[in-house]
Amino acid sequence: MDATDRKILAILQEDSSLPVAEVASRVNLSQTPCWRRIQRMEETGVIRRRVALVDPDAIGLGLSVFVEIETGDHSAEWLERFAREVEAMPEVMEVYRMAGDVDYLLRIAVANMAEYDGFYRRLVALLPLKNVTSRFAMERVKYTTAYPVGEAATGGR
Amino acid sequence: MDATDRKILAILQEDSSLPVAEVASRVNLSQTPCWRRIQRMEETGVIRRRVALVDPDAIGLGLSVFVEIETGDHSAEWLERFAREVEAMPEVMEVYRMAGDVDYLLRIAVANMAEYDGFYRRLVALLPLKNVTSRFAMERVKYTTAYPVGEAATGGR
DNA sequence: GATGAAAAATCCAACCG
DNA sequence: CGGTTGGATTTTTCATC
């Protein structure tokens, strides 16, 4: 992964619908080598997938809720089962296992409070949890899937 | 946006590199009407963009940190400026204005603790903030950009 | 690796029920 | 709205440097 690959990544993270020829010209390369670089990054898993990003408001899922969960003392198997079940819930967009007092942090996308309440009930009914805190987002100020891939940001990796 | 559009969205949110003919056959449509539906959803902004999703570990940005910020009492202009400045920082992947005691919640992607420390110093130097709390993720259990678009999930919108 | 060009696949527009 | 056809564009492969 050299500087050219990173430039390609920066472009494709913003717009993956661009023709390879266009990407190539922007990184001062001709089509084929550029195409091979993209291909290689897809094979090696640097590029995980290409997706369409949907506007949550447009499909009526504009409410983001962050859920902080303390699981309490539990076995590794219990925790694994918890993670698997939460993962399978479609409203759950992100799940992180955290350091510190909160064990898991979830981002939930729902239509409104009533729907969130439904989700919350299903969540706490799933398994016994020590503590569950809901924090509601008023506004999504920034949301990007594009990681910074410039020299400075990655430490020249 | 009918059920067919939602089916198309579900597919494209998972893999937008599929040829239209493939999408069309999966939703029992021929190529052109399917293509027209996709086109329309792009024009109306339901589909915001098509992007490549990069594996953060593969580019050395595997550390996720959540930052909770209390700004304190400030004017609308001050808050707007704050939002604009934070938004412009490339390590910042998500920013939410929150209800409750925490004013903003940020998700930061960095390479390691040292880099996070650098980000933190730049953040607090930006403007005076009442309180800043960092929470570190040990593991990303789930991350998806695909909103649930089934009948049940959207309330039949 | 890079290049240019040809072959294959895909997109998109024109046109019809 | 949906379907079919075909030219334009793009992707992908292949020789050549």
Side-chain angles (χ1 to χ4, degrees):
Chain A
M1 262 246 307
D2 60 8
T4 304
D5 276 350
R6 279 198 291 275
K7 275 188 204 167
I8 294 171
L9 275 188
I11 295 166
L12 259 29
Q13 283 191 116
E14 293 297 333
D15 186 356
S16 69
S17 74
L18 292 172
V20 179
E22 171 64 24
V23 178
S25 90
R26 290 198 200 173
V27 299
N28 293 107
L29 222 58
S30 65
Q31 211 175 118
T32 307
C34 182
W35 178 82
R36 270 203 294 253
R37 280 168 180 269
I38 295 169
Q39 212 63 13
R40 187 161 46 82
M41 290 194 284
E42 280 173 348
E43 278 159 18
T44 59
V46 175
I47 295 174
R48 281 203 313 147
R49 64 211 312 200
R50 288 152 179 271
V51 301
L53 296 184
V54 167
D55 178 0
D57 289 320
I59 56 168
L61 292 175
L63 179 59
S64 292
V65 187
F66 288 86
V67 184
E68 299 177 359
I69 297 175
E70 293 175 58
T71 54
D73 287 336
H74 287 291
S75 66
E77 291 81 38
W78 194 97
L79 289 170
E80 205 183 297
R81 186 187 151 210
F82 166 79
R84 224 179 325 108
E85 300 234 39
V86 165
E87 221 176 308
M89 300 172 91
E91 303 93 336
V92 178
M93 304 301 288
E94 302 180 55
V95 178
Y96 298 87
R97 188 164 59 79
M98 305 296 290
D101 49 330
V102 168
D103 295 306
Y104 288 92
L105 180 61
L106 280 53
R107 178 167 66 87
I108 312 302
V110 284
N112 49 49
M113 278 290 175
E115 227 187 69
Y116 178 71
D117 188 47
F119 168 82
Y120 180 87
R121 285 163 193 273
R122 265 181 289 130
L123 176 69
V124 296
L126 214 60
L127 296 159
L129 298 167
K130 188 174 156 204
N131 197 24
V132 180
T133 306
S134 305
R135 301 167 160 274
F136 296 88
M138 303 296 293
E139 184 192 358
R140 187 171 74 166
V141 176
K142 178 177 185 178
Y143 177 81
T144 183
T145 56
Y147 291 97
V149 286
E151 306 287 329
T154 62
R157 195 198 178 197
Chain B
M1 262 245 307
D2 61 7
T4 304
D5 276 350
R6 278 198 292 275
K7 275 188 203 167
I8 293 171
L9 274 188
I11 294 166
L12 259 28
Q13 283 191 116
E14 293 297 333
D15 185 357
S16 69
S17 74
L18 292 171
V20 179
E22 171 64 25
V23 178
S25 91
R26 289 197 200 175
V27 299
N28 293 106
L29 224 56
S30 68
Q31 209 175 122
T32 305
C34 183
W35 177 83
R36 273 201 291 248
R37 279 167 178 270
I38 295 169
Q39 211 64 12
R40 188 160 47 80
M41 289 194 283
E42 280 173 348
E43 278 159 20
T44 58
V46 174
I47 295 175
R48 281 204 312 149
R49 64 211 313 200
R50 288 151 180 274
V51 300
L53 296 184
V54 167
D55 178 0
D57 291 319
I59 57 169
L61 292 175
L63 178 58
S64 292
V65 186
F66 288 85
V67 185
E68 299 177 358
I69 297 176
E70 294 175 58
T71 54
D73 286 336
H74 287 291
S75 66
E77 291 79 40
W78 194 96
L79 288 169
E80 206 183 296
R81 187 185 152 212
F82 166 79
R84 225 181 322 111
E85 300 236 37
V86 164
E87 221 176 308
M89 300 172 89
E91 304 93 334
V92 177
M93 306 300 288
E94 301 179 56
V95 178
Y96 297 88
R97 187 165 60 79
M98 305 295 290
D101 48 330
V102 169
D103 294 306
Y104 288 92
L105 180 61
L106 280 54
R107 178 168 65 88
I108 312 302
V110 284
N112 49 50
M113 278 289 176
E115 227 188 71
Y116 179 70
D117 189 45
F119 168 82
Y120 180 88
R121 285 165 192 272
R122 267 181 289 131
L123 176 69
V124 295
L126 215 57
L127 297 159
L129 298 166
K130 187 173 155 205
N131 197 25
V132 181
T133 307
S134 305
R135 300 164 161 277
F136 296 89
M138 305 296 294
E139 183 192 358
R140 188 171 74 164
V141 176
K142 178 177 183 176
Y143 178 82
T144 182
T145 56
Y147 290 97
V149 286
E151 307 286 329
T154 62
R157 193 195 176 192

